[in-house]
Amino acid sequence: MADIAISNVTKSYGKTAVIHGVDLAIRDGEFVVILGPSGCGKSTLLRMIAGLEEISGGTIAIAGEAVNEKEPRERGCAMVFQNYALYPHFSVAENIGYALKVAGVAKAERMRRVREVAKSVGLEEYLDRKPSQLSGGQRQRVAMGRAMIREPKVFLFDEPLSNLDAKLRVQMRLEIRKLHQRLGATSVFVTHDQVEAMTLADRIVVMNAGKIEQIGTPSEIYDRPETLFVAGFISSPPMNLLEVTIPVRGEAHAGDIVISTPAFLAGKPGAAAMIGVRPEHLEISAQGRFSLQAEFVEKLGSVQLVHGSFAGRDFILQCPATQPVAAGQRLLFDIPAAAMHAFDPATGARIPKVQPAGRQNEPVAA
């Protein structure tokens, strides 16, 4: 087991920079998920930790030792790939035990450890089968078993669940989390799937365009997004965002619509802001000040998502499945000021909740 320290790490391909001065500290035994859209640099960062990509600048240290110049096999990492990367002509047992065979471990000891690992990932009955005789989930377990048998200090997962169907992804998420709890090894997991990140991570690293946007626990990322990108990217359905101007105390204008804003924005008359509110935090009632005509309704079991247009933008309301809603129906709702997030549209940064002058003795929500 080991901590990982990434200090001012950069990566360029020729004149094209893809990783821009990343700093990240991963604690010993922690499960960290690197989350971001395709092309943001998350897999490149993971491959640099593994030693599969050269670092253009900066330092990566594992267990307090810089590994920039070390070969992948010398870093104490095991990697689970998206495409499994199994030997098709080997049996399950041979795939799992191959690293030990190369290392010269005696056959009896090798098979003992293969059976032990196979039991931990539920493959005892499949040791004689070839990968072509296995399901996608079973093949992913073989890849995990092959990584486990090396007893690595660090597990690296490169979008390992993206090729599985929805049911198997849920099952494998549970198995990966159980594996981490059992082994206690430091784990770094790359994905573009928000659900995977929120359910697996001790902490999430949100990346965009080769930079880290925010680092925090799943609750911190969800409850307090630090940038517009994080606000729009995290959660499904995404946060509703409205561009507003603040001409008078306590109000903002989104086109012709006047919205009551949080107290901390009252000191910014004339300023522009992006107001964000999650669909589940909107209050639907017959006395609502605002209205939205349902253009499309997604029925998701216990809840339904009502899509429409508000203040010239796509907008989503969430309501219980017990409340009948049909396309064309108009719903009334309110936007609670306490549920609003505010961002600077020029920089994308969160606007901090600073108490307005003259109201210093009143509590302000974090």
Side-chain angles (χ1 to χ4, degrees):
M1 294 186 288
D3 62 322
I4 302 172
I6 300 172
S7 304
N8 196 29
V9 165
T10 62
K11 176 65 180 178
S12 299
Y13 296 102
K15 295 182 179 180
T16 304
V18 295
I19 300 291
H20 308 276
V22 165
D23 293 297
L24 175 62
I26 300 172
R27 296 184 287 269
D28 180 22
E30 190 175 24
F31 197 119
V32 166
V33 174
I34 303 176
L35 173 68
S38 297
C40 72
K42 56 188 184 296
S43 289
T44 300
L45 182 60
L46 190 78
R47 291 172 65 84
M48 287 194 290
I49 296 171
L52 302 177
E53 291 273 3
E54 290 186 0
I55 300 168
S56 300
T59 303
I60 294 179
I62 298 176
E65 182 180 2
V67 296
N68 292 35
E69 305 301 324
K70 286 195 171 188
E71 294 294 321
R73 65 179 180 274
E74 301 172 322
R75 299 189 180 201
C77 300
M79 195 157 178
V80 180
F81 296 91
Q82 177 180 347
N83 62 358
Y84 317 136
L86 303 179
Y87 295 107
H89 56 290
F90 282 3
S91 67
V92 168
E94 290 169 328
N95 267 287
I96 292 176
Y98 184 69
L100 300 185
K101 183 177 181 181
V102 171
V105 176
K107 184 175 182 179
E109 172 63 12
R110 188 165 74 240
M111 289 310 299
R112 182 192 69 78
R113 288 175 61 181
V114 165
R115 285 191 291 270
E116 186 178 88
V117 168
K119 182 178 181 181
S120 70
V121 293
L123 290 171
E124 312 101 296
E125 300 177 9
Y126 304 94
L127 288 175
D128 295 328
R129 296 192 187 183
K130 299 289 176 61
S132 61
Q133 298 172 299
L134 303 176
S135 68
Q138 289 165 341
R139 276 178 270 178
Q140 190 56 271
R141 288 194 204 116
V142 176
M144 289 168 59
R146 181 183 54 193
M148 288 170 58
I149 203 166
R150 296 175 54 192
E151 298 179 350
K153 294 182 291 185
V154 176
F155 276 102
L156 305 175
F157 298 88
D158 189 8
E159 303 206 48
L161 309 183
S162 59
N163 290 334
L164 305 180
D165 62 38
K167 183 177 180 181
L168 269 177
R169 282 202 299 271
V170 173
Q171 179 183 339
M172 291 304 297
R173 284 203 306 266
L174 179 61
E175 291 187 12
I176 288 173
R177 190 65 208 187
K178 285 181 176 178
L179 170 66
H180 175 76
Q181 290 171 341
R182 185 165 64 250
L183 300 181
T186 306
S187 299
V188 185
F189 188 105
V190 159
T191 184
H192 63 272
D193 188 302
Q194 304 160 37
V195 175
E196 287 178 16
M198 297 294 283
T199 54
L200 284 171
D202 295 326
R203 286 191 300 155
I204 297 173
V205 178
V206 184
M207 286 192 69
N208 179 39
K211 298 179 180 179
I212 292 177
E213 293 270 340
Q214 186 174 352
I215 303 171
T217 66
S219 295
E220 289 168 346
I221 296 287
Y222 187 84
D223 294 335
R224 199 178 189 280
E226 291 295 333
T227 68
L228 267 173
F229 174 81
V230 176
F233 186 73
I234 292 292
S235 85
S236 182
M239 182 182 289
N240 294 305
L241 295 170
L242 299 171
E243 188 168 2
V244 302
T245 55
I246 308 167
V248 295
R249 184 181 180 90
E251 292 182 341
H253 286 196
D256 295 330
I257 298 172
V258 179
I259 300 171
S260 297
T261 54
F264 69 91
L265 286 178
K268 298 180 178 291
M274 292 293 290
I275 298 295
V277 62
R278 298 199 182 279
E280 63 269 31
H281 295 156
L282 296 165
E283 297 176 349
I284 300 174
S285 74
Q287 291 76 41
R289 292 178 55 210
F290 309 113
S291 70
L292 177 139
Q293 184 171 342
E295 298 172 1
F296 174 67
V297 181
E298 285 186 272
K299 298 185 183 298
L300 302 174
S302 61
V303 299
Q304 51 192 337
L305 304 179
V306 182
H307 296 255
S309 179
F310 179 69
R313 285 177 168 261
D314 292 337
F315 207 78
I316 303 172
L317 305 180
Q318 179 174 303
C319 59
T322 53
Q323 178 179 346
V325 181
Q329 183 176 339
R330 190 166 292 279
L331 296 179
L332 299 179
F333 68 95
D334 280 312
I335 306 175
M340 290 182 189
H341 305 261
F343 304 90
D344 184 330
T347 65
R350 185 182 185 88
I351 298 175
K353 295 188 176 182
V354 178
Q355 188 71 20
R359 302 177 64 178
Q360 289 88 345
N361 296 327
E362 295 183 19
V364 177

